[in-house]
Amino acid sequence: MKVLVTGSSGWLGRHLVPMLRDAGWSPVGLDVAPGEQTDVVASVADQNAIAALFCRHDFDAVMHGGALHKPDIARFPPQAFVDVNVSGTLNLLRAATARPGARFVFTSTTSLMISQAIRDERATKAVWLDEDAGPLEPRNIYGVTKLAAEGLCRLHHLEHGLAVVVLRTARFFPEDDDTITALSGPNLKANELLHRRATVQDVARACLAALDRAPQIGFGLYVVSAPTPFTRDDLGALKADAPAVIRRLFPEAEALYRRAGWRLPQSIGRVYNGGRITRQLGFVYRTSFGDILEALRCGDPAPIDHDPNYGSPILRASQAEAARR
């Protein structure tokens, strides 16, 4: 069966396309920048290009991961986010709806769940974030447009019967955080696996699980984040003294971190719960914080992808366009 994969030159796409191929799918990669897994260089915002692509291929599914992301806010105006994240998604949904029996998987973001109050950590305890969290008050144009795109996905299921699964993915980018600099990239990513990150490999595998189950689900929305060891009962303590909670759950953690020259988080203000996708789809994450500690214990490389020099396809495309001028 043939699947269109948008964002195929990106970090997720370069892992997802080979997995799809290994699973028996015939992927066609679409991105604004060339890449090893990209067959067509075009924007999802180009309605004519999308229509022509669907005319050439009889797609059974769309795996939509192409988007402008949060770091792009500094590089692109709000209209670009609307064009790519909203209009681009609408272009794909319309084309998929015209294919009887097609299925659609949309990679959204947990970022749209973060209001300014949550971002500022104004609460006296950590905030528990799952699929039922709300009201949703995205704090920037990235979150606003991704939430709008989710609404379009839901609408096309309700009005046209399109089988759609929305995946709100936690952090999985390989580059350094653009706001947090107190910890090294690998240290920060290891900490985040406790409460707000997944490996790109697990995110790609979640996309495959969603693609397989979409016809049975009809419409589904799932948070994708590595299994957190915390419960709601830990939320107050996590905000006040996160190391104490971590020591209780992982007695070796502090010593292993000290040996690596790392530091545990002192306070945790939010916890993503990505368990529903396991309960409803049978998806099993392969990497958690416990695997980080096991690697440190054995002296092995931590199962974290870190590349401080990684640049997104949209940035590469913009740089190439500027060089041509």
Side-chain angles (χ1 to χ4, degrees), residues 66-91:
L68 286 180
H69 297 279
K70 190 258 184 182
D72 294 315
I73 293 174
R75 300 186 284 261
F76 295 92
Q79 185 62 53
F81 280 81
V82 174
D83 293 342
V84 174
N85 294 358
V86 182
S87 297
T89 302
L90 181 59
N91 290 339

Short mmCIF file of all heavy atoms in Angstrom, two decimals, residues 66-91:
data_model
loop_
_atom_site.label_atom_id
_atom_site.label_comp_id
_atom_site.label_asym_id
_atom_site.label_seq_id
_atom_site.Cartn_x
_atom_site.Cartn_y
_atom_site.Cartn_z
N GLY A 66 5.08 17.14 8.10
CA GLY A 66 5.70 18.39 7.66
C GLY A 66 5.05 19.59 8.32
O GLY A 66 3.83 19.69 8.36
N ALA A 67 5.85 20.52 8.84
CA ALA A 67 5.30 21.69 9.53
C ALA A 67 6.40 22.70 9.79
O ALA A 67 7.59 22.39 9.72
CB ALA A 67 4.69 21.27 10.87
N LEU A 68 5.97 23.92 10.08
CA LEU A 68 6.86 24.88 10.72
C LEU A 68 6.77 24.65 12.23
O LEU A 68 5.68 24.43 12.76
CB LEU A 68 6.44 26.31 10.40
CG LEU A 68 6.73 26.82 8.98
CD1 LEU A 68 6.27 28.26 8.83
CD2 LEU A 68 8.21 26.70 8.64
N HIS A 69 7.92 24.68 12.90
CA HIS A 69 7.98 24.34 14.31
C HIS A 69 8.31 25.55 15.17
O HIS A 69 8.53 26.65 14.66
CB HIS A 69 9.01 23.22 14.52
CG HIS A 69 8.65 21.94 13.83
ND1 HIS A 69 7.76 21.05 14.35
CD2 HIS A 69 9.03 21.45 12.62
CE1 HIS A 69 7.62 20.03 13.52
NE2 HIS A 69 8.38 20.25 12.46
N LYS A 70 8.37 25.32 16.47
CA LYS A 70 8.57 26.43 17.41
C LYS A 70 9.83 27.24 17.14
O LYS A 70 9.77 28.48 17.15
CB LYS A 70 8.56 25.86 18.84
CG LYS A 70 8.52 26.93 19.92
CD LYS A 70 9.89 27.13 20.53
CE LYS A 70 9.86 28.12 21.68
NZ LYS A 70 11.21 28.36 22.24
N PRO A 71 11.00 26.63 16.86
CA PRO A 71 12.17 27.46 16.56
C PRO A 71 12.00 28.34 15.32
O PRO A 71 12.70 29.35 15.18
CB PRO A 71 13.29 26.43 16.36
CG PRO A 71 12.83 25.23 17.12
CD PRO A 71 11.35 25.21 16.95
N ASP A 72 11.08 27.95 14.43
CA ASP A 72 10.86 28.73 13.21
C ASP A 72 10.17 30.06 13.48
O ASP A 72 10.11 30.92 12.58
CB ASP A 72 10.03 27.92 12.21
CG ASP A 72 10.77 26.70 11.70
OD1 ASP A 72 11.95 26.83 11.38
OD2 ASP A 72 10.17 25.61 11.65
N ILE A 73 9.65 30.25 14.69
CA ILE A 73 8.97 31.51 15.02
C ILE A 73 9.92 32.69 14.84
O ILE A 73 9.51 33.78 14.43
CB ILE A 73 8.41 31.46 16.46
CG1 ILE A 73 7.28 30.43 16.56
CG2 ILE A 73 7.92 32.83 16.90
CD1 ILE A 73 6.77 30.22 17.96
N ALA A 74 11.19 32.47 15.13
CA ALA A 74 12.18 33.54 15.01
C ALA A 74 12.55 33.83 13.55
O ALA A 74 13.19 34.85 13.26
CB ALA A 74 13.44 33.19 15.80
N ARG A 75 12.16 32.92 12.64
CA ARG A 75 12.61 33.04 11.25
C ARG A 75 11.49 33.33 10.26
O ARG A 75 11.76 33.76 9.14
CB ARG A 75 13.32 31.75 10.83
CG ARG A 75 14.55 31.42 11.66
CD ARG A 75 15.28 30.22 11.12
NE ARG A 75 14.63 28.97 11.42
CZ ARG A 75 14.98 28.15 12.40
NH1 ARG A 75 15.97 28.50 13.21
NH2 ARG A 75 14.36 27.01 12.59
N PHE A 76 10.24 33.07 10.65
CA PHE A 76 9.14 33.19 9.71
C PHE A 76 7.98 33.98 10.34
O PHE A 76 7.76 33.90 11.54
CB PHE A 76 8.63 31.81 9.29
CG PHE A 76 9.64 31.00 8.52
CD1 PHE A 76 10.49 30.12 9.18
CD2 PHE A 76 9.75 31.13 7.15
CE1 PHE A 76 11.42 29.38 8.48
CE2 PHE A 76 10.68 30.39 6.44
CZ PHE A 76 11.52 29.52 7.10
N PRO A 77 7.23 34.72 9.52
CA PRO A 77 6.10 35.49 10.04
C PRO A 77 4.92 34.57 10.35
O PRO A 77 4.85 33.43 9.87
CB PRO A 77 5.76 36.43 8.88
CG PRO A 77 6.19 35.68 7.66
CD PRO A 77 7.43 34.94 8.07
N PRO A 78 3.96 35.04 11.14
CA PRO A 78 2.78 34.23 11.47
C PRO A 78 2.05 33.68 10.25
O PRO A 78 1.55 32.55 10.29
CB PRO A 78 1.92 35.19 12.28
CG PRO A 78 2.88 36.15 12.90
CD PRO A 78 3.96 36.33 11.88
N GLN A 79 1.98 34.46 9.17
CA GLN A 79 1.26 34.00 7.99
C GLN A 79 1.87 32.71 7.42
O GLN A 79 1.14 31.84 6.93
CB GLN A 79 1.26 35.08 6.91
CG GLN A 79 0.42 34.71 5.69
CD GLN A 79 -1.05 34.53 6.02
OE1 GLN A 79 -1.66 35.42 6.62
NE2 GLN A 79 -1.62 33.39 5.67
N ALA A 80 3.18 32.57 7.52
CA ALA A 80 3.82 31.35 7.03
C ALA A 80 3.36 30.14 7.83
O ALA A 80 3.17 29.05 7.27
CB ALA A 80 5.34 31.50 7.11
N PHE A 81 3.18 30.31 9.14
CA PHE A 81 2.68 29.21 9.97
C PHE A 81 1.25 28.84 9.58
O PHE A 81 0.90 27.65 9.53
CB PHE A 81 2.73 29.59 11.45
CG PHE A 81 4.09 29.46 12.06
CD1 PHE A 81 5.05 30.44 11.89
CD2 PHE A 81 4.43 28.34 12.80
CE1 PHE A 81 6.31 30.33 12.43
CE2 PHE A 81 5.68 28.19 13.36
CZ PHE A 81 6.64 29.20 13.17
N VAL A 82 0.43 29.84 9.29
CA VAL A 82 -0.94 29.56 8.84
C VAL A 82 -0.92 28.84 7.50
O VAL A 82 -1.64 27.85 7.28
CB VAL A 82 -1.75 30.86 8.75
CG1 VAL A 82 -3.13 30.59 8.16
CG2 VAL A 82 -1.89 31.51 10.13
N ASP A 83 -0.08 29.30 6.58
CA ASP A 83 -0.02 28.71 5.25
C ASP A 83 0.41 27.24 5.31
O ASP A 83 -0.20 26.38 4.66
CB ASP A 83 0.97 29.48 4.37
CG ASP A 83 0.50 30.90 4.06
OD1 ASP A 83 -0.71 31.16 4.23
OD2 ASP A 83 1.33 31.72 3.66
N VAL A 84 1.46 26.96 6.07
CA VAL A 84 2.01 25.60 6.10
C VAL A 84 1.22 24.69 7.05
O VAL A 84 0.77 23.61 6.66
CB VAL A 84 3.50 25.63 6.51
CG1 VAL A 84 4.03 24.21 6.69
CG2 VAL A 84 4.32 26.37 5.46
N ASN A 85 1.05 25.14 8.29
CA ASN A 85 0.47 24.25 9.30
C ASN A 85 -1.04 24.10 9.20
O ASN A 85 -1.58 23.04 9.56
CB ASN A 85 0.83 24.76 10.70
CG ASN A 85 2.31 24.68 10.98
OD1 ASN A 85 3.08 24.20 10.16
ND2 ASN A 85 2.72 25.17 12.14
N VAL A 86 -1.74 25.13 8.73
CA VAL A 86 -3.20 25.06 8.64
C VAL A 86 -3.63 24.76 7.20
O VAL A 86 -4.23 23.72 6.92
CB VAL A 86 -3.85 26.35 9.16
CG1 VAL A 86 -5.38 26.22 9.09
CG2 VAL A 86 -3.43 26.63 10.59
N SER A 87 -3.31 25.67 6.27
CA SER A 87 -3.72 25.46 4.89
C SER A 87 -3.09 24.22 4.30
O SER A 87 -3.73 23.49 3.53
CB SER A 87 -3.36 26.69 4.04
OG SER A 87 -4.04 27.84 4.50
N GLY A 88 -1.82 23.96 4.64
CA GLY A 88 -1.17 22.75 4.14
C GLY A 88 -1.86 21.48 4.61
O GLY A 88 -2.06 20.53 3.84
N THR A 89 -2.25 21.46 5.88
CA THR A 89 -2.99 20.31 6.41
C THR A 89 -4.33 20.16 5.72
O THR A 89 -4.76 19.05 5.38
CB THR A 89 -3.17 20.45 7.93
OG1 THR A 89 -1.89 20.55 8.56
CG2 THR A 89 -3.91 19.24 8.51
N LEU A 90 -5.01 21.28 5.50
CA LEU A 90 -6.30 21.24 4.81
C LEU A 90 -6.14 20.70 3.39
O LEU A 90 -6.97 19.90 2.92
CB LEU A 90 -6.92 22.63 4.79
CG LEU A 90 -8.29 22.77 4.12
CD1 LEU A 90 -9.32 21.86 4.80
CD2 LEU A 90 -8.76 24.21 4.15
N ASN A 91 -5.10 21.11 2.68
CA ASN A 91 -4.86 20.58 1.33
C ASN A 91 -4.75 19.06 1.34
O ASN A 91 -5.31 18.37 0.48
CB ASN A 91 -3.57 21.18 0.76
CG ASN A 91 -3.70 22.66 0.43
OD1 ASN A 91 -4.79 23.18 0.24
ND2 ASN A 91 -2.56 23.34 0.35
#
